Amino acid sequence: DVKVTQSSRYLVKRTGEKVFLECVQDMDHENMFWYRQDPGLGLRLIYFSYDVKMKEKGDIPEGYSVSREKKERFSLILESASTNQTSMYLCASSPGTSGSSYEQYFGPGTRLTVT
Amino acid sequence: GENVEQHPSTLSVQEGDSAVIKCTYSDSASNYFPWYKQELGKGPQLIIDIRSNVGEKKDQRIAVTLNKTAKHFSLHITETQPEDSAVYFCARTGGGADGLTFGKGTHLIIQP
């Protein structure tokens, strides 16, 4: 089974803090993604990466950055956390650019509260 | 990504009845349409998907239909059971490494 793990299930941070959310996948997947999920808005893509050290902006990248130094790990960084970044953050991975590569597998999510 | 409209936002059905959730999209380059089920406290889980060269796909009690001309696709769940209660999301992508664009979700409630 594909396993995508996220470093924390719940996180509480203060406004202005730098926040790191970590995601690790164990299936040697090429692609990794970060989404945020908010009530009534569904899931929205923040950033994705199709290779080590590569990154692409999603639909809502403002206020976020990412890092992918190793294939299995994709980090989401909130440079200066704000209250409007309180949300559920979901990491996903998918195999590659051929065959069944489109299928994305999600982690359990990190619920971040910024006070 | 291009928007995906999902309806209804809440659906309540009697156990044993069928449930249908519909989604529409605008980007004609879309070629992959997955459906995810999210239970409380968990990440979304892929339950069925369809590619643009297929009109229908079934997996036991779950089926997905795709009308590329009209740009809509639907999830059908037959003989609903209590464990089908969850939030369901449709999504689309142009494929490859691109991220998914999700609908806003349907809260499916199965009444005993």
Side-chain angles (χ1 to χ4, degrees):
Chain A
D1 275 354
V2 175
K3 194 161 185 188
V4 179
T5 56
Q6 295 183 230
S7 51
S8 306
R9 292 302 304 272
Y10 300 94
L11 211 52
V12 180
K13 295 292 182 180
R14 293 191 181 276
T15 302
E17 278 192 79
K18 190 169 186 176
V19 181
F20 292 85
L21 302 182
E22 306 286 344
C23 175
V24 176
Q25 50 94 4
D26 66 358
M27 285 302 292
D28 200 35
H29 284 176
E30 302 289 335
N31 309 319
M32 296 188 75
F33 308 84
W34 275 106
Y35 297 86
R36 64 177 281 176
Q37 181 175 17
D38 300 288
L41 296 179
L43 285 80
R44 292 178 291 166
L45 181 65
I46 305 171
Y47 266 99
F48 63 100
S49 168
Y50 53 88
D51 200 354
V52 175
K53 296 193 185 295
M54 305 301 289
K55 60 184 180 184
E56 294 285 342
K57 291 181 179 179
D59 298 319
I60 51 164
E62 297 78 18
Y64 303 95
S65 62
V66 290
S67 172
R68 192 157 180 213
E69 297 296 319
K70 293 184 177 182
K71 191 176 185 180
E72 67 271 18
R73 187 179 297 269
F74 192 34
S75 303
L76 180 69
I77 303 157
L78 286 66
E79 296 290 343
S80 178
S82 64
T83 54
N84 63 12
Q85 292 178 310
T86 291
S87 187
M88 170 71 86
Y89 289 88
L90 290 159
C91 176
S93 69
S94 70
T97 56
S98 63
S100 61
S101 62
Y102 298 1
E103 299 168 24
Q104 292 190 19
Y105 300 86
F106 283 84
T110 295
R111 185 166 293 282
L112 173 67
T113 302
V114 182
T115 62
Chain B
E2 296 286 333
N3 285 340
V4 177
E5 298 291 329
Q6 182 171 347
H7 298 281
S9 56
T10 304
L11 178 60
S12 181
V13 301
Q14 291 290 325
E15 184 179 346
D17 288 350
S18 296
V20 180
I21 304 169
K22 299 181 179 180
C23 288
T24 60
Y25 63 97
S26 56
D27 183 0
S28 55
S30 302
N31 60 7
Y32 174 67
F33 306 89
W35 284 90
Y36 284 84
K37 176 183 181 182
Q38 187 175 27
E39 297 174 323
L40 202 60
K42 297 183 179 179
Q45 185 175 16
L46 180 71
I47 55 171
I48 195 167
D49 56 12
I50 192 167
R51 296 180 190 269
S52 57
N53 57 349
V54 175
E56 183 176 1
K57 184 177 178 181
K58 276 187 178 181
D59 182 5
Q60 299 183 346
R61 296 187 296 109
I62 295 172
V64 56
T65 58
L66 171 65
N67 183 327
K68 277 215 80 177
T69 304
K71 295 194 180 75
H72 65 73
F73 56 113
S74 300
L75 177 71
H76 304 254
I77 305 174
T78 58
E79 300 172 19
T80 52
Q81 300 169 5
E83 56 264 35
D84 295 330
S85 293
V87 179
Y88 291 80
F89 292 96
C90 64
R92 48 71 60 196
T93 182
D98 290 347
L100 293 166
T101 303
F102 283 83
K104 293 183 179 178
T106 296
H107 186 193
L108 177 62
I109 301 164
I110 307 301
Q111 302 277 7

